[in-house]
Amino acid sequence: MFNIVLDNKKYKVQEKISIYEFLKSNNNDKNVVAARINGSLHDLSDCIESDCELEAIRSNELDGLDIIRHSCAHLLGHALKQIDPKIKMVIGPVINNGFYYDILSEKAISEKDLKSIENTMKKLAKKNYNIIRQVVSKTEAKKVFTERKEDYKLELINDIPKNEIIAIYHHQEYIDMCRGPHLINTKYLKHFKLMKVSGSYWRGDSNNQPLQRIYGTAWDTEESLDNYLKKLEEADRRDHRKLGQRLDLFHFQEESPGMIFWHNNGWFIYSAVKDYITSYLVNNDYDIIDTPQILDKSLWKKSGHLDKFSDLIYEVTSEDKGYAIKPMSCPGHIQVFNQGIKSYKDLPIKYAEFGKVHRDEPSGTLHGLLRIRGFTQDDAHIFCTPDQIENEISDLISNIYDIYKVFGFEKIKVELSTRPEKRVGDDSIWDKSESSLKSALDNNKVIWKINEGDGAFYGPKIDFSLTDSLEREWQLGTIQLDFSMPDRLNASYIDQDGQKRTPVMIHRAILGSIERFVGILIEEYAGDMPLWLAPTQVVILNITSNQENYCNNIENSLQNNNVRVICDLRNEKISFKIREHTLSKIPYIIIIGDKEVADNKISVRTRSGVDMGQMTVENFMKMLDTHVIEKSLTI
């Protein structure tokens, strides 16, 4: 006897029977695609084990979607091999919202080819091929893929541990290898789409064979697929790289890969964000400092960064001496702390720096403002006593939530990342560090989850990920507790007994990188920056040349009240000028005709097309002042 769990109800089954057979016999849910056996996922056809509990997995559940996507990756492989039998299959894993398959093909596959490949996949799916799972030995697996001349599969088989199960999947003439589970028949693969083609490398190493990667997405219903594609369209509309070009914010060029050329409008947004954070820091008792861009390699060796980040650090030589361009600011802050004798009465000491750092990120990972090689961290380090840790972390948690709320982000995910395999410091220090962070989170009633093994090499950390309007997560803020680096770099203070002690160092960032945060804001607001962040807040348009003097007088009045305003007095149709400045995302458009001049008023329109009617310049300026002071997100 064993149990089948369906819809939280447990059914006792007297004889061996799969969930699939159980569903058929009970005319039940046809959307069940797999089952868990004692916590592990299995194909439906495998679910006939006795003395265990089987739990049904539906296609619209997370596990179920992964199963659909595993099966779609193989369906893609089947289609590719039918189109060109010479193609060699490499790997085809499930990823967030879809799957991809890396292949080696003599012919370059382009975006134009995807529709044809997709059509072949649909034809194959409709043939209702059973998807058959077969467990084989390592020797048998090698024989199968040697006959099929799948060189990369053979390399993967060689890497599989001796006692690990190898499963191969068949549908018609196509054979592939996968841990699974998969669906039982191709007819259930209906709602998928191939998305794009990109380059990749075997095992992710640029020194290895270049490959082609085909991305796809797959869902359980047509509605889910359509919703996902619409979300992608909206993401494309909000793409900060396109908006950056259209709104004249920044550009990139090959002569400086991964580095930003800021234009006036973009630099204003960057500076406004930085100025706001600066004022917040000053009000919270931080010292604003600045440390050198280049430091002797010996310091980075001593801090542990050179060993951990050697592949990302830019190195330079001067007079036969080796230096590193700083990838982060923490060692420099310890050098500032080490100037002069510090007492326990001086602590906590808070140093903040908008530190320009450089990291030699692989070219294939660069992505607009979101992944670059030269960027500015809103970096800070707090030097404190062990007794001050929890209070300081509590303040930081509050700071992070406050700042994110100003920019309109209130859905925050919090994770505690624990000790990684490669780390400095002994386990007793890590035990103490992790315990301190857990206490601070619990005492602040923060909902959090554990992220095992993802801490910094010098200490555990709390990571804060915000969710944007498209439900995308962005990991930005971090609080990292460090008992090791201050000791490695000889930081000390004198305690109340006159003894020399090593301070605790708390690393913290709120925005992470200002450049990346600006990119996120551009996409979050779709370029419609809030009034306080808008490079130009107001544009004044005349209907005819009769209103030019009046327009100039209004411009002067607004400028004298610190409003960022421009006048457009071109001899163009007013409808043309309104459309142009609406597309340029200027928050308010003032329209002046003869009636406005006669009434000594202005007509105001928002960039979203709302007609606010006539008002006095004084009332308009009061409205602007209120929006700016309150950091309003709406206009």
Side-chain angles (χ1 to χ4, degrees):
M1 177 183 294
F2 69 106
N3 299 313
I4 289 179
V5 181
L6 184 64
D7 293 329
N8 296 319
K9 294 180 182 178
K10 189 178 290 186
Y11 300 86
K12 293 185 181 298
V13 180
Q14 297 294 333
E15 59 185 20
K16 285 190 175 185
I17 182 174
S18 72
I19 282 188
Y20 181 59
E21 292 169 325
F22 176 78
L23 292 173
K24 282 174 62 179
S25 63
N26 286 274
N27 195 26
N28 214 314
D29 191 343
K30 295 179 181 178
N31 291 319
V32 172
V33 295
R36 289 191 190 92
I37 301 178
N38 297 335
S40 298
L41 282 175
H42 286 259
D43 294 79
L44 285 175
S45 55
D46 289 343
C47 300
I48 53 173
E49 299 190 16
S50 59
D51 301 322
C52 66
E53 185 171 285
L54 311 186
E55 180 184 357
I57 303 296
R58 288 182 171 81
S59 61
N60 60 353
E61 296 174 6
L62 183 60
D63 287 334
L65 285 174
D66 282 353
I67 293 161
I68 289 171
R69 289 162 185 165
H70 267 298
S71 302
C72 257
H74 281 207
L75 186 63
L76 169 60
H78 194 167
L80 289 168
K81 294 293 280 188
Q82 279 208 350
I83 293 168
D84 182 1
K86 294 180 182 178
I87 287 176
K88 293 186 182 297
M89 310 307 296
V90 186
I91 56 170
V94 169
I95 56 174
N96 189 33
N97 294 320
F99 60 93
Y100 70 78
Y101 220 123
D102 282 349
I103 62 169
L104 181 65
S105 173
E106 295 177 358
K107 175 194 170 187
I109 294 174
S110 70
E111 305 281 337
K112 295 179 181 178
D113 298 319
L114 294 185
K115 190 63 181 175
S116 174
I117 299 169
E118 189 178 302
N119 288 337
T120 302
M121 291 173 67
K122 289 177 179 177
K123 289 176 184 176
L124 289 169
K126 288 178 180 177
K127 291 186 177 181
N128 299 349
Y129 292 134
N130 287 328
I131 300 175
I132 301 166
R133 180 175 183 264
Q134 180 183 0
V135 175
V136 297
S137 68
K138 202 168 184 177
T139 301
E140 290 172 318
K142 284 183 178 181
K143 181 180 178 182
V144 168
F145 291 104
T146 299
E147 290 174 353
R148 302 178 71 83
K149 299 180 180 179
E150 294 287 6
D151 303 335
Y152 293 100
K153 299 295 181 183
L154 291 170
E155 286 199 46
L156 291 170
I157 292 168
N158 286 332
D159 293 341
I160 295 175
K162 185 176 182 180
N163 296 322
E164 187 170 321
I165 292 174
I166 299 177
I168 59 176
Y169 284 83
H170 308 249
H171 33 90
Q172 199 62 7
E173 81 278 8
Y174 184 72
I175 300 177
D176 208 337
M177 180 172 64
C178 187
R179 287 191 178 92
H182 284 247
L183 302 179
I184 59 173
N185 192 287
T186 60
K187 68 183 179 182
Y188 298 112
L189 298 172
K190 299 177 181 179
H191 315 295
F192 57 84
K193 183 175 179 58
L194 298 184
M195 305 299 296
K196 64 177 182 178
V197 180
S198 71
S200 64
Y201 294 97
W202 170 233
R203 300 190 185 277
D205 187 341
S206 59
N207 294 315
N208 288 341
Q209 173 71 49
L211 305 169
Q212 293 185 80
R213 177 171 295 177
I214 301 174
Y215 287 92
T217 188
W219 298 84
D220 62 313
T221 66
E222 191 69 27
E223 182 182 11
S224 297
L225 175 60
D226 288 344
N227 288 339
Y228 175 69
L229 296 177
K230 286 175 183 176
K231 188 179 287 188
L232 288 183
E233 287 177 10
E234 180 62 16
D236 184 66
R237 185 181 76 84
R238 293 168 179 259
D239 190 321
H240 75 281
R241 295 166 298 180
K242 295 180 179 179
L243 289 169
Q245 184 175 10
R246 181 152 68 84
L247 301 178
D248 194 26
L249 304 179
F250 57 84
H251 82 273
F252 295 88
Q253 61 188 64
E254 292 181 0
E255 287 80 358
S256 187
M259 310 288 183
I260 307 166
F261 291 81
W262 285 107
H263 299 191
N264 179 72
N265 290 341
W267 189 246
F268 175 85
I269 299 171
Y270 173 101
S271 300
V273 171
K274 179 181 174 184
D275 290 346
Y276 166 69
I277 299 296
T278 300
S279 64
Y280 192 95
L281 293 173
V282 171
N283 290 334
N284 283 271
D285 302 320
Y286 282 83
D287 292 338
I288 311 296
I289 65 173
D290 187 71
T291 59
Q293 284 290 104
I294 298 175
L295 291 165
D296 194 295
K297 281 174 62 177
S298 63
L299 182 65
W300 299 104
K301 179 71 175 175
K302 195 172 182 182
S303 71
H305 289 93
L306 198 62
D307 292 334
K308 176 69 176 178
F309 300 109
S310 59
D311 56 335
L312 295 178
I313 293 177
Y314 287 100
E315 297 183 19
V316 295
T317 302
S318 176
E319 297 179 343
D320 297 325
K321 196 170 187 180
Y323 297 87
I325 300 174
K326 73 176 178 183
M328 51 194 64
S329 300
C330 25
H333 288 199
I334 295 178
Q335 307 314 303
V336 176
F337 180 87
N338 285 348
Q339 300 306 299
I341 298 173
K342 303 295 188 297
S343 162
Y344 72 96
K345 295 179 181 180
D346 300 318
L347 304 184
I349 291 175
K350 305 178 183 180
Y351 294 139
E353 177 180 8
F354 295 99
K356 188 73 174 182
V357 300
H358 291 81
R359 298 177 187 173
D360 190 13
E361 301 283 359
S363 59
T365 67
L366 301 178
H367 182 77
L369 300 179
L370 305 181
R371 188 73 177 267
I372 48 182
R373 288 175 172 168
F375 54 94
T376 306
Q377 289 182 311
D378 68 322
D379 213 359
H381 296 89
I382 299 170
F383 298 87
C384 63
T385 67
D387 293 340
Q388 295 170 330
I389 290 174
E390 192 166 323
N391 185 59
E392 292 304 315
I393 292 174
S394 295
D395 286 347
L396 289 174
I397 291 171
S398 178
N399 293 164
I400 288 172
Y401 277 95
D402 285 349
I403 289 174
Y404 287 169
K405 188 174 182 179
V406 166
F407 292 99
F409 300 108
E410 298 193 34
K411 187 176 179 182
I412 312 298
K413 185 178 80 173
V414 181
E415 293 182 311
L416 172 61
S417 298
T418 56
R419 66 197 75 184
E421 186 175 337
K422 189 176 181 181
R423 60 185 183 266
V424 296
D426 59 43
D427 284 344
S428 63
I429 291 176
W430 280 88
D431 290 341
K432 185 176 181 181
S433 302
E434 290 170 0
S435 177
S436 296
L437 293 184
K438 288 176 183 177
S439 295
L441 288 167
D442 291 338
N443 291 337
N444 282 276
K445 297 180 171 57
V446 175
I447 298 173
W448 58 279
K449 68 176 186 178
I450 203 80
N451 188 7
E452 294 286 356
D454 201 42
F457 74 96
Y458 47 71
K461 60 179 181 172
I462 304 171
D463 286 332
F464 298 81
S465 300
L466 56 83
T467 302
D468 68 11
S469 57
L470 295 179
E471 297 299 313
R472 298 175 299 186
E473 286 186 1
W474 304 95
Q475 195 279 306
L476 300 178
T478 187
I479 300 172
Q480 303 177 0
L481 199 54
D482 187 351
F483 286 85
S484 298
M485 197 180 302
D487 184 51
R488 292 164 70 97
L489 296 182
N490 306 315
S492 66
Y493 68 95
I494 305 300
D495 69 9
Q496 57 266 47
D497 299 322
Q499 300 297 311
K500 185 182 284 190
R501 301 291 182 191
T502 302
V504 179
M505 184 179 184
I506 303 173
H507 307 245
R508 84 98 185 95
I510 296 176
L511 306 184
S513 150
I514 297 181
E515 292 84 353
R516 182 168 179 255
F517 190 69
V518 168
I520 292 169
L521 290 183
I522 293 169
E523 298 200 354
E524 174 68 5
Y525 305 142
D528 295 326
M529 307 307 289
L531 191 67
W532 70 283
L533 288 176
T536 301
Q537 297 169 315
V538 179
V539 59
I540 303 170
L541 311 180
N542 64 323
I543 295 177
T544 70
S545 59
N546 295 338
Q547 300 96 38
E548 285 188 9
N549 289 337
Y550 189 73
C551 290
N552 287 327
N553 291 336
I554 294 171
E555 181 183 26
N556 291 334
S557 296
L558 293 175
Q559 286 176 339
N560 291 336
N561 282 272
N562 299 315
V563 177
R564 298 184 292 278
V565 57
I566 59 173
C567 249
D568 184 350
L569 305 178
R570 292 175 298 165
N571 184 24
E572 298 282 359
K573 289 182 179 180
I574 190 66
S575 59
F576 173 83
K577 292 197 285 189
I578 289 173
R579 183 177 184 277
E580 186 175 85
H581 292 293
T582 298
L583 291 174
S584 65
K585 309 280 190 178
I586 296 175
Y588 291 101
I589 299 171
I590 292 176
I591 301 168
I592 304 298
D594 289 339
K595 189 175 188 306
E596 284 74 23
V597 175
D599 295 342
N600 196 27
K601 290 185 177 180
I602 59 177
S603 288
V604 181
R605 176 189 176 99
T606 70
R607 64 187 164 205
S608 62
V610 176
D611 185 351
M612 301 182 69
Q614 281 194 345
M615 64 181 73
T616 65
V617 174
E618 291 74 20
N619 286 340
F620 180 63
M621 287 192 293
K622 286 179 183 178
M623 181 185 71
L624 297 187
D625 286 342
T626 300
H627 279 313
V628 170
I629 290 168
E630 294 178 353
K631 300 286 189 292
S632 175
L633 298 175
T634 58
I635 61 169

